Amino acid sequence: MEPIRELTSIDYSSLFLAAFTSLVGLKAAVSLIEWVFDKLGLETKWMRRKREEHDLLIQTSEGLTALQKQYLEYMKHSDDNDAEIRQDIKNLTNAFIEKEIFDMRWEISRITATNGTIVDGIMTMQVGSDVAVGKTTVPNHFFALETQDGVSADVKIKPIGAVGNEIKYIYKRNTDGTVGKAYPIAAAASADAFKYDPAAKKITLPTGAFHANETIYTFYDIEVSDAKKITNAENRFSSTGMLIADVFAKDICTEKSYYGKIIYPKAKASGNFDMQFGTDPSVQSMEFEALSGGCSSTATKTLWDFIVFDEDDAAVL
């Protein structure tokens, strides 16, 4: 009972006050010791660990600040990149749309056709040339000459070229119409050569090679005074001009026929074309592309017109 009685008689408030005062004093003593050590430039193990923890805390704070700044810059660049990607996608989409429109416009703005005859005006546009009219040398023109006696044959069209070499060869005609043996020109006729006399306009045939009424084939250059000549030169290109194509149209309901015209105010001819020759009529292919009228304010923007009409509706005199 005595120990219990002693515990109940203790003044706890005084004890708490004494303990608090001791702690405050201890804290002040420790701060004083730290101040003295700091002034003297000394450092205890506890002070060094505290300083290192403080430095580590500062470094961590600075690292987090730098990381946050880097993250914000990354997000900004990411937003810029996203904007650039969106703009690139938009530009690419517009480019595809413009190309599709251009391709469609190009498809409906060209005309291809074939003609049953060779038209010199169209050909000059295709090759970018002109029709030269006048004296022209025609090379290797073909002739089928007749011999009345098997010894000589008359020349009706004058050959041109060096004297003594105007007609380089004559050929025997085979029974099936093909070209047979060739005979060269020479100063005197022999069994293997012929002679040409320009003054007499006569060929002396090879000795014993031909018979009366046989045909002789030959090729030589001639000169004509009034010929048309179109030249396709490697440094000339297809030209442009107005194109007017005549067509016929029919009303499928009434079966009535109408005249039609396709008009290209400015058409460029294609330099790629074919010409077909043979026993059938010759065929000339052609292709024209409609071009804009130009850059001036007065230039037409019309690519082409298609007019269908009835001549009965035309004004009469």
Side-chain angles (χ1 to χ4, degrees):
M1 292 297 291
E2 190 63 27
I4 295 173
R5 191 176 291 111
E6 289 178 359
L7 288 173
T8 57
S9 63
I10 295 174
D11 187 356
Y12 287 102
S13 60
S14 299
L15 180 62
F16 175 77
L17 181 60
F20 178 77
T21 303
S22 298
L23 291 174
V24 171
L26 180 61
K27 177 67 173 62
V30 171
S31 298
L32 179 61
I33 293 172
E34 289 180 351
W35 180 80
V36 172
F37 273 74
D38 182 62
K39 291 297 182 180
L40 296 177
L42 302 176
E43 187 178 40
T44 64
K45 183 177 180 180
W46 178 80
M47 292 174 65
R48 183 171 61 253
R49 183 171 64 249
K50 183 178 180 183
R51 179 180 56 76
E52 290 176 350
E53 291 176 353
H54 179 266
D55 292 342
L56 180 62
L57 180 62
I58 296 299
Q59 292 176 0
T60 303
S61 177
E62 292 175 350
L64 290 174
T65 302
L67 184 62
Q68 183 180 17
K69 182 178 180 181
Q70 183 178 3
Y71 171 76
L72 294 176
E73 292 179 354
Y74 171 79
M75 291 301 296
K76 182 178 182 299
H77 289 314
S78 178
D79 293 339
D80 294 340
N81 291 337
D82 290 344
E84 291 178 1
I85 292 173
R86 287 193 295 270
Q87 185 62 40
D88 289 341
I89 293 175
K90 182 178 179 181
N91 294 340
L92 186 61
T93 302
N94 292 336
F96 276 118
I97 293 175
E98 290 175 359
K99 183 179 184 303
E100 183 176 354
I101 293 174
F102 175 80
D103 289 345
M104 292 175 61
R105 193 174 184 183
W106 187 81
E107 288 176 359
I108 64 174
S109 297
R110 62 189 164 110
I111 182 172
T112 59
T114 54
N115 198 48
T117 57
I118 305 299
V119 181
D120 55 5
I122 292 178
M123 186 178 291
T124 57
M125 290 186 65
Q126 291 173 320
V127 301
S129 180
D130 295 316
V131 179
V133 180
K135 184 181 294 186
T136 302
T137 298
V138 180
N140 288 338
H141 192 57
F142 171 74
F143 293 93
L145 308 177
E146 297 291 335
T147 175
Q148 301 295 325
D149 53 10
V151 176
S152 63
D154 294 330
V155 176
K156 297 182 179 180
I157 303 297
K158 179 183 178 180
I160 62 172
V163 176
N165 198 36
E166 302 94 327
I167 304 174
K168 294 179 175 61
Y169 293 94
I170 63 171
Y171 303 87
K172 189 173 181 66
R173 179 184 183 276
N174 295 326
T175 56
D176 61 358
T178 58
V179 177
K181 183 178 178 179
Y183 298 90
I185 192 171
S190 66
D192 298 318
F194 74 95
K195 176 186 176 182
Y196 172 63
D197 183 355
K201 302 177 184 178
K202 189 179 293 289
I203 292 175
T204 302
L205 301 173
T207 306
F210 291 85
H211 298 90
N213 301 319
E214 280 192 328
T215 300
I216 302 108
Y217 291 154
T218 186
F219 301 84
Y220 57 82
D221 299 347
I222 63 173
E223 185 177 76
V224 294
S225 60
D226 189 21
K228 288 185 176 181
K229 180 180 178 181
I230 299 174
T231 301
N232 185 7
E234 65 177 10
N235 60 344
R236 300 292 296 271
F237 303 95
S238 55
S239 59
T240 61
M242 175 179 281
L243 173 68
I244 301 177
D246 291 318
V247 298
F248 289 100
K250 177 180 284 189
D251 189 327
I252 60 174
C253 296
T254 63
E255 295 294 320
K256 182 176 180 178
S257 296
Y258 295 89
Y259 289 103
K261 286 186 182 291
I262 301 175
I263 305 170
Y264 280 32
K266 187 176 183 180
K268 180 174 180 58
S270 171
N272 298 320
F273 61 94
D274 297 321
M275 290 189 296
Q276 301 177 12
F277 303 97
T279 55
D280 295 329
S282 60
V283 175
Q284 180 184 16
S285 66
M286 61 194 75
E287 179 178 309
F288 294 91
E289 178 185 354
L291 301 179
S292 174
C295 301
S296 67
S297 59
T298 59
T300 177
K301 302 303 179 184
T302 301
L303 292 177
W304 50 265
D305 289 317
F306 186 15
I307 304 173
V308 179
F309 62 97
D310 188 345
E311 268 194 351
D312 293 341
D313 297 330
V316 296
L317 297 176

